[in-house]
């Protein structure tokens, strides 16, 4: 988890610096949403809170034959 | 070639469309069609031409009416800004999941075909880094690059087809009877789910020479019908429908069977090389569409500051998406194709009908 936080942090610092430099701070709030999604995705990837992959969840939703086995 | 600065011609758009469909066709179409339509699988691309023509008619009507506007602006105008934002959010989420699927498949394919025991991260991260750099060059540079990749793809597919002709057994492709009509219709869903032209419309404000849309769409449709038919005929004709229907990368297995004069073999490396190129175009085009949707949805000035962080999300999503390749294949066949049908065929047709009712087209 720490390595992902470091990568996301490094990218965020760079992009915010560039935004300030180019005077594009209007997009800052939207950028924060992306940072939060990235942190959430890293948490899901590392800790697997649903104990299932996204495909598995969606396949269960459509009652796929994948789980029937045989 | 392009009329205005930063614009691409309809011919280039169609090249992008054809190349983005190539990789999923090679990976998916033969197996899906053979599983549903058995020996008549090679007829499924013909049925796909019908929804393709309907979609082309709908998109052309919208494109001619809303000249110089993107699909996002069309959706806003037809449905209202509130519903437009909801539809675009759905497109954004689905396209991101689909892109993650293709990035994962790209890495999985390389590992399972020619680079076993290599960490998949190597392929995933290198591809995402290259795409993150090239996408900043803009759609004109991408479209020009794609023209060369299209020629390579054409050369590869034709060469492989010619080399595979001796291995094709007509017994595997016949008999065809009226009993095959329903299975062929079912099998054509796989092809129809890959008509990615709608996703290219998220940057339709960058299209020039839009009056040529119908003409070049027809060329693209006929080309894709030919390529899909070639892929299915060579796969099913070489291995038989029962093997093709069950195996992942059936076309690759069929290509591995090529032996020229009993001496030369290993032609699969050419196929894999062309896959990497077309995967690159697929990933970059989808990313460009996603970035344009994001820009419109969040009223951004520029999407470039969001590229790097988006690729971090995408990388994580490729791992969150599935545990193994079997799960991804099931996801592709049982969920992704149906969602694609909805998002790229049904939704544009619905928008067209709403526009008709509201007398906007």
């Amino acid at each position: 988890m720490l390595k992902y936080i470091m990568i996301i942090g490094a990218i965020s610092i760079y992009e915010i610096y560039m935004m300030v430099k180019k005077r594009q701070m209007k997009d800052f709030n939207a950028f924060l949403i992306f940072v939060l999604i990235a942190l959430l995705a890293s948490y899901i990837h590392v800790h697997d809170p649903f104990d299932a992959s996204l495909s598995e969840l969606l396949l269960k939703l459509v009652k796929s034959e994948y789980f029937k086995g045989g | 070639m392009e009329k205005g600065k930063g614009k691409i011609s309809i011919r280039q758009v169609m090249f992008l469309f054809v190349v983005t469909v190539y990789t999923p066709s090679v990976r998916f179409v033969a197996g899906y069609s053979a599983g549903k339509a058995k020996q008549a699988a090679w007829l499924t691309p013909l049925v796909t031409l019908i929804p393709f023509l309907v979609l082309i008619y709908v998109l052309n009507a919208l494109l001619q009416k809303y000249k110089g506007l993107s699909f996002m602006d069309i959706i806003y105008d037809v449905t209202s800004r509130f519903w437009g934002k909801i539809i675009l959010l759905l497109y954004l989420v689905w396209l991101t999941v689909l892109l993650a699927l293709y990035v994962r498949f790209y890495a999985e394919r390389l590992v399972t075909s020619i680079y076993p025991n290599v960490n998949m991260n190597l392929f995933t991260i290198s591809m995402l880094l290259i795409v993150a750099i090239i996408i900043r060059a803009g759609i004109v540079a991408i479209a020009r690059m794609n023209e060369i990749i299209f020629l390579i793809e054409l050369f590869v597919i034709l060469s492989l087809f010619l080399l595979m002709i001796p291995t094709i057994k007509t017994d595997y492709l016949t008999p065809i009877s009226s009993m095959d009509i329903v299975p062929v219709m079912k099998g054509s869903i796989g092809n129809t789910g890959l008509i990615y032209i709608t996703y290219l419309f998220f940057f339709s404000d960058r299209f020039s020479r839009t009056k040529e849309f119908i003409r070049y769409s027809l060329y693209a449709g006929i080309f894709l019908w030919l390529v899909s038919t070639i892929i299915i005929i060579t796969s099913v004709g070489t291995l038989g429908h029962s093997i093709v229907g069950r195996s992942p990368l059936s076309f690759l297995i069929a290509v591995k069977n090529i032996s020229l004069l009993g001496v030369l073999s290993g032609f699969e490396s050419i196929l894999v090389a062309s896959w990497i190129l077309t995967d690159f175009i697929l990933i970059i085009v989808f990313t460009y569409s996603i970035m344009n949707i994001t820009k419109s949805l969040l009223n951004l000035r520029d999407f470039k500051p969001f590229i790097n962080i988006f690729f971090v999300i995408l990388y994580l999503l490729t791992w969150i998406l599935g545990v193994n390749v079997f799960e991804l294949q099931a996801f592709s066949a049982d969920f992704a194709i149906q969602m694609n049908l909805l998002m790229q065929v049904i939704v544009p047709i619905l928008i067209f009908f709403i526009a008709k009712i509201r007398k906007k087209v």
Side-chain angles (χ1 to χ4, degrees), chain A residues 2 6 15-16 27-28 35 37-39 46 55 57 62:
Chain A
L2 187 67
M6 282 168 69
E15 296 295 357
I16 292 166
D27 299 342
F28 180 73
V35 172
I37 294 169
L39 287 170
V46 173
S55 316
L57 292 172
V62 294

Side-chain angles (χ1 to χ4, degrees), chain A residues 15 23 26 53-55 64, chain B residues 299 308 320-321 327 334:
Chain A
E15 296 295 357
R23 294 180 183 176
K26 186 180 164 277
S53 65
L54 185 62
S55 316
S64 167
Chain B
N299 302 320
N308 291 335
I320 294 167
L321 195 61
E327 204 173 84
D334 295 346

Side-chain angles (χ1 to χ4, degrees), chain B residues 236-247:
Chain B
V236 178
T238 308
L239 304 167
H241 68 81
S242 53
I243 295 174
V244 173
R246 286 180 178 88
S247 60

Side-chain angles (χ1 to χ4, degrees), chain A residues 4 8 11 15 19 23-24 26-27 30-31 34 37-38 41-42 45 53-56 58-59 62 64 66, chain B residues 294 298-302 305-306 308-309 312-313 315-316 319-322 324 326-328 330-331 334-335:
Chain A
Y4 293 121
I8 294 164
I11 290 171
E15 296 295 357
M19 274 183 199
R23 294 180 183 176
Q24 286 186 338
K26 186 180 164 277
D27 299 342
F31 185 79
F34 270 66
I37 294 169
S42 62
H45 174 51
S53 65
L54 185 62
S55 316
E56 206 178 321
L58 292 171
L59 285 171
V62 294
S64 167
Y66 176 67
Chain B
T294 310
L298 301 172
N299 302 320
L300 304 177
R301 277 187 191 176
D302 188 12
F306 293 77
N308 291 335
I309 196 80
V312 173
I313 298 169
Y315 167 77
L316 293 165
W319 288 108
I320 294 167
L321 195 61
N324 53 50
F326 300 107
E327 204 173 84
L328 293 173
F331 177 74
D334 295 346
F335 190 87

